[in-house]
Amino acid sequence: MHLVFLGPPACGKGTQSAILVQKYDYYHLSTGDLLRQEIATGSELGQALKQTIEQGVLGSSEIVNQLLKKDIENHRQMSILFDGYPRKMDQAIFLDSVLKENKGALKRVFYFDINADELLQRVLNRVTCNACGAVYNLQTNPPKEDGVCDNCGGRDLVRRGDDTEEVLKSRIQSFYEETAPLKDFYQERGILTVVNARASLDEVTKQIINVL
Ligand code: AMP
């Protein structure tokens, strides 16, 4: 059934999601992507969300939950890989209730364990394809051809507006204050796997696949 990737910004959740989605038939549901899509529409809601994301703080659960519920209902038949959701206890509880309504359940939650110094290096080297959202690290996982997306051939690889040192500090702080406590919540339920996210990309994938 469904999986959750929990971890601080730039821990590799997005990259591992892309690998898993290619290998297996998961629907990748990233709430960060849902919010960025809303921003791209230029709506009033999108403008408010843009400010929130640029400050590195969490968006309102009410808005995120609404977007999430709609997306889950649109992919009812699929196993879903949740990336960046839940990020707070109230979201974890909301997720349980929506999954129950849709006759689903969480199979496993992966906690990406990594220290803050490493995250900064990753964030400063991270670029994303503007066309398809593929994520690269210019040092450890660069595109095969400089400036060209391996996945879709797009030539618009950009740094995210919230990938700066200052915003990262705020995002890491919200992670430890609001999201990290979810680790115990899922541990007590017996569905948590801690992944060593400092390992190489392939090794992290192996750690995940081993327990699927
Ligand atoms: P991400 O792409 O997952 O790093 O998310 C980028 C930003 O979107 C975060 O720093 C938050 O501001 C916002 N965001 C993404 N997911 C959530 C969520 N589940 N709850 C609240 N805010 C979120």
Side-chain angles (χ1 to χ4, degrees):
M1 259 306 194
H2 311 302
L3 307 178
V4 167
F5 280 180
L6 271 186
C11 67
K13 301 189 298 286
T15 305
Q16 294 298 331
S17 300
I19 295 171
L20 242 68
V21 165
Q22 265 200 345
K23 259 186 174 339
Y24 307 99
D25 223 9
Y26 284 100
Y27 171 64
H28 179 211
L29 198 167
S30 150
T31 44
D33 286 349
L34 288 182
L35 298 180
R36 283 183 286 274
Q37 279 162 20
E38 184 65 38
I39 292 171
T41 66
S43 68
E44 215 170 286
L45 174 63
Q47 280 171 16
L49 288 170
K50 187 164 188 275
Q51 282 187 351
T52 307
I53 289 190
E54 282 175 356
Q55 285 162 6
V57 293
L58 292 187
S60 113
S61 285
E62 215 180 3
I63 295 170
V64 181
N65 288 349
Q66 220 179 313
L67 295 170
L68 172 104
K69 185 167 190 248
K70 206 163 123 197
D71 212 22
I72 291 178
E73 288 170 356
N74 287 339
H75 296 90
R76 224 177 245 138
Q77 314 300 340
M78 296 186 74
S79 291
I80 303 178
L81 169 53
F82 294 96
D83 164 11
Y85 188 98
R87 262 172 153 109
K88 294 183 198 180
M89 194 54 82
D90 64 282
Q91 295 183 358
I93 291 164
F94 184 79
L95 181 61
D96 281 343
S97 71
V98 182
L99 291 181
K100 204 169 163 199
E101 269 171 41
N102 287 278
K103 305 197 175 7
L106 290 180
K107 177 180 170 200
R108 199 131 276 279
V109 174
F110 293 90
Y111 181 91
F112 286 58
D113 191 28
I114 187 164
N115 63 37
D117 293 345
E118 178 113 6
L119 294 174
L120 182 61
Q121 281 317 308
R122 290 191 179 193
V123 158
L124 299 179
N125 281 301
R126 175 158 78 171
V127 291
T128 306
C129 173
N130 230 348
C132 73
V135 183
Y136 299 92
N137 180 300
L138 294 178
Q139 278 195 334
T140 58
N141 177 33
K144 291 191 184 80
E145 190 184 335
D146 202 17
V148 181
C149 176
D150 295 347
N151 189 39
C152 75
R155 292 178 172 269
D156 196 12
L157 299 184
V158 293
R159 285 191 56 184
R160 278 171 43 169
D162 57 350
D163 273 353
T164 63
E165 191 165 346
E166 198 190 335
V167 177
L168 179 74
K169 284 188 179 145
S170 155
R171 293 168 67 207
I172 290 179
Q173 192 182 349
S174 28
F175 175 78
Y176 285 108
E177 283 175 7
E178 307 191 72
T179 310
L182 297 179
K183 187 181 169 196
D184 290 344
F185 177 73
Y186 290 120
Q187 175 94 62
E188 276 163 27
R189 219 189 252 187
I191 56 170
L192 187 89
T193 297
V194 178
V195 169
N196 170 12
R198 286 149 306 193
S200 71
L201 204 148
D202 287 348
E203 280 166 24
V204 174
T205 309
K206 272 191 210 142
Q207 293 177 56
I208 296 169
I209 289 176
N210 279 345
V211 288
L212 277 185

